[in-house]
Amino acid sequence: MNRDLMIIIVDDEMEALVHFLSQIIEESNVRYKFFNDNPLDAIEYVKDHPVDCAYLDIRMPKINGLDLAARLIEQNKDLKIVFITAFYFDEKEIKERFKDNIIDFVYKPFSYEAIRNTFLALEIDKHIVEFSMFGDFNCLVDGQAITFLSKKSEELLALIMVLKGKKLTMEKAISILWPERELDLAKRLYRDSIYKLRQKLNEKGIGHLVIFQRGVTKMNTNFTKIKCDYYDYLNNENDLYNGYFLEEYSWNKFFKKILDKKRALVDE
């Protein structure tokens, strides 16, 4: 990280705070402050101190984490929020309420990996990533075009981003990107493209943009600073589609049918 990350953790359970500390104690670039007895003290702290993110337990006796998050954001409109909880909540509804401020949910008992992923998301949220898909595929980070390590790793990213958070299995990726290759060779080519894509995204400081799991990849929908002509068109925020979409990729036909149908409806 380029500078220390300042976080606060609010939880009425001392055991949870101790466990949280045990997970982050070796993070040299993270500074932190705990609030246990009176979560409302966090409001004054955020008012008077620069804080990047608040980790909030949702169920607390004096104020629930959702209401506390709203009051903290009143003090710092750029504050990021991570909710920590042992209970199930409607994530979609909460994400809609807090929009760009929310980073993620971490469920107890949480692991180092879960906490670390939120740190990565906070770091990456400093970058603006732009994708253009009408025409050929292009990706820019903070205004600078990415030069990928291979054409297939670039194409793999294009496919992941078009799916907008839907899972892309290894089998599906192979059937789309290497349909003519023998299976063992196709798997090696897939793994090589995954490796090169991860390496390039990490190099650019946006490694958290894509979630890489065993045999599965998907766009991280918690990544907030994404600009994309395709996404904006689907959300009726531009009218830029003119019949050209990811023209260098043969698998674009399915998505063009959807776009053509939408354009036809708009033109009626």
Side-chain angles (χ1 to χ4, degrees):
M1 297 178 181
N2 297 326
R3 63 172 179 80
D4 286 353
L5 184 68
M6 181 61 203
I7 66 174
I8 62 171
I9 307 95
V10 186
D11 197 316
D12 63 303
E13 298 177 2
M14 181 56 70
E15 182 180 350
L17 293 177
V18 171
H19 180 59
F20 196 105
L21 177 60
S22 72
Q23 300 300 317
I24 68 170
I25 193 67
E26 295 185 4
E27 291 286 339
S28 59
N29 293 322
V30 178
R31 295 184 295 116
Y32 52 86
K33 185 172 180 59
F34 292 156
F35 295 89
N36 173 242
D37 294 331
N38 187 2
L40 296 175
D41 288 344
I43 299 172
E44 288 301 315
Y45 187 84
V46 167
K47 180 180 179 181
D48 297 329
H49 299 82
V51 177
D52 295 297
C53 183
Y55 290 74
L56 308 177
D57 188 17
I58 294 182
R59 288 193 174 183
M60 295 183 291
K62 293 185 178 181
I63 184 172
N64 71 63
L66 303 180
D67 291 339
L68 178 58
R71 293 183 64 177
L72 293 173
I73 292 168
E74 288 178 0
Q75 302 300 327
N76 178 356
K77 64 181 180 62
D78 296 321
L79 182 70
K80 299 302 181 182
I81 303 293
V82 175
F83 290 112
I84 50 179
T85 180
F87 302 94
Y88 173 78
F89 289 86
D90 187 339
E91 290 190 12
K92 183 177 180 181
E93 181 179 332
I94 295 173
K95 287 179 179 179
E96 179 61 27
R97 177 179 176 183
F98 293 101
K99 300 186 183 301
D100 291 346
N101 291 93
I102 190 168
I103 289 289
D104 209 348
F105 292 79
V106 175
Y107 288 89
K108 300 177 181 179
F110 41 77
S111 65
Y112 168 76
E113 182 179 5
I115 299 299
R116 178 60 179 165
N117 283 341
T118 64
F119 291 164
L120 290 173
L122 288 166
E123 177 69 13
I124 288 164
D125 203 58
K126 300 173 185 176
H127 300 285
I128 297 174
V129 184
E130 301 174 72
F131 293 99
S132 58
M133 299 187 185
F134 292 161
D136 290 337
F137 179 72
N138 288 287
C139 175
L140 292 84
V141 177
D142 299 328
Q144 299 295 316
I146 292 183
T147 301
F148 289 86
L149 297 176
S150 72
K151 292 300 293 182
K152 280 299 181 182
S153 63
E154 180 178 13
E155 186 175 358
L156 177 61
L157 178 61
L159 182 57
I160 291 169
M161 299 310 295
V162 164
L163 293 176
K164 293 187 66 182
K166 295 180 181 177
K167 291 182 179 180
L168 176 64
T169 65
M170 178 177 66
E171 292 75 16
K172 186 67 174 178
I174 286 174
S175 71
I176 294 173
L177 302 183
W178 297 278
E180 307 299 327
R181 297 289 189 176
E182 185 270 331
L183 183 57
D184 286 344
L185 174 58
K187 287 182 177 179
R188 291 198 296 272
L189 293 171
Y190 170 81
R191 294 187 185 105
D192 179 70
S193 294
I194 288 289
Y195 172 79
K196 289 178 177 177
L197 177 58
R198 294 186 74 165
Q199 187 177 18
K200 179 56 68 172
L201 295 181
N202 287 331
E203 175 190 315
K204 294 297 180 180
I206 57 170
H208 203 62
L209 174 66
V210 174
I211 297 173
F212 295 93
Q213 299 171 330
R214 185 174 179 84
V216 176
T217 57
K218 63 179 180 178
M219 168 191 164
N220 184 353
T221 55
N222 289 320
F223 194 112
T224 59
K225 294 186 178 179
I226 293 178
K227 297 181 179 180
C228 179
D229 51 6
Y230 171 58
Y231 298 171
D232 289 346
Y233 184 78
L234 293 180
N235 292 329
N236 299 313
E237 295 174 6
N238 72 42
D239 59 354
L240 298 177
Y241 178 61
N242 59 0
Y244 296 95
F245 180 76
L246 298 178
E247 291 300 303
E248 69 267 55
Y249 305 135
S250 60
W251 47 264
N252 68 348
K253 298 179 179 62
F254 171 78
F255 299 98
K256 287 184 69 173
K257 286 181 180 178
I258 297 174
L259 290 167
D260 288 338
K261 184 176 180 179
K262 178 177 175 61
R263 185 174 64 170
L265 291 172
V266 171
D267 292 341
E268 287 182 355

